[in-house]
Amino acid sequence: MALRKIRTEEDEVLKKISKPVVNFDAKLQILLGDMKDTLAKAEGVGLAAVQIGILRRVVIIDVGDSHGFMELINPEIIERRGEQRENEGCLSLPKKWGVTQRPMWVKFRAQDRTGKWYEAEGEGLFARCVCHELDHLDGIVFTQRLAEGERVYKD
Ligand SMILES: [Zn+2]
């Protein structure tokens, strides 16, 4: 386990599209461990592999709710309901905030670290976090998801 450097906004890697994971090998287990350590140190609620410079479709989430710590490999949102407008930030965009528009509830499918597919669903912060992290896999950051009339501000 090791800490990895979190890439920030000036890093072009954040705009790139991550590739699917095909090998559920030892290297993936190390990546997941390092991501967990890095997220804990940064005190964040979610992290995508691209944020540490690895262009693979790997996300970890822990928003402190009943879902607990989750690993999402090759995730896809399969259903969304409602909408929410809440303040959002990102470990890769330090000190920047903005009110985004996201679905209130999402259901997704993803693989676990052994390659087994599973489905999960959730609302509120969990749904927001899933959407935010999955966007990273497609090179999108929250400042591209601002609710109408909102802007990015710095604290
Ligand atoms: Zn982010």
Side-chain angles (χ1 to χ4, degrees):
M1 306 294 158
L3 291 176
R4 308 256 193 126
K5 185 179 177 295
I6 295 179
R7 306 299 182 91
T8 48
E9 128 178 76
E10 59 283 357
D11 197 318
E12 290 293 314
V13 77
L14 290 172
K15 296 179 186 157
K16 296 190 173 156
I17 309 237
S18 296
K19 296 185 185 74
V21 171
V22 283
N23 297 314
F24 293 78
D25 54 7
K27 216 173 144 186
L28 176 67
Q29 319 300 317
I30 290 167
L31 172 65
L32 286 163
D34 288 357
M35 284 174 68
K36 188 175 186 181
D37 290 351
T38 304
L39 180 65
K41 180 77 174 5
E43 297 180 337
V45 293
L47 191 72
V50 62
Q51 292 181 273
I52 55 166
I54 308 292
L55 284 167
R56 289 287 168 190
R57 301 186 83 81
V58 177
V59 160
I60 58 169
I61 285 173
D62 189 353
V63 299
D65 69 0
S66 58
H67 291 92
F69 177 80
M70 294 187 87
E71 297 174 340
L72 291 63
I73 296 155
N74 300 327
E76 298 162 33
I77 291 173
I78 50 177
E79 219 179 315
R80 28 169 82 77
R81 280 182 213 153
E83 66 173 54
Q84 57 175 317
R85 290 176 178 219
E86 292 290 341
N87 209 21
E88 207 165 305
C90 177
L91 294 173
S92 292
L93 279 66
K95 298 184 191 295
K96 284 194 174 178
W97 304 90
V99 174
T100 58
Q101 182 159 338
R102 302 283 193 188
M104 179 53 87
W105 175 94
V106 295
K107 184 178 191 177
F108 68 85
R109 69 195 288 263
Q111 285 167 284
D112 69 13
R113 59 165 63 211
T114 69
K116 188 168 175 269
W117 286 97
Y118 70 93
E119 288 184 1
E121 59 186 68
E123 60 179 7
L125 176 59
F126 180 79
R128 200 155 78 240
C129 189
V130 168
C131 294
H132 177 119
E133 299 310 329
L134 267 62
D135 270 352
H136 274 302
L137 303 181
D138 293 320
I140 296 166
V141 292
F142 81 87
T143 53
Q144 293 164 263
R145 298 286 193 201
L146 295 180
E148 200 182 336
E150 297 293 338
R151 59 187 179 84
V152 177
Y153 62 93
K154 286 194 152 199
D155 70 1

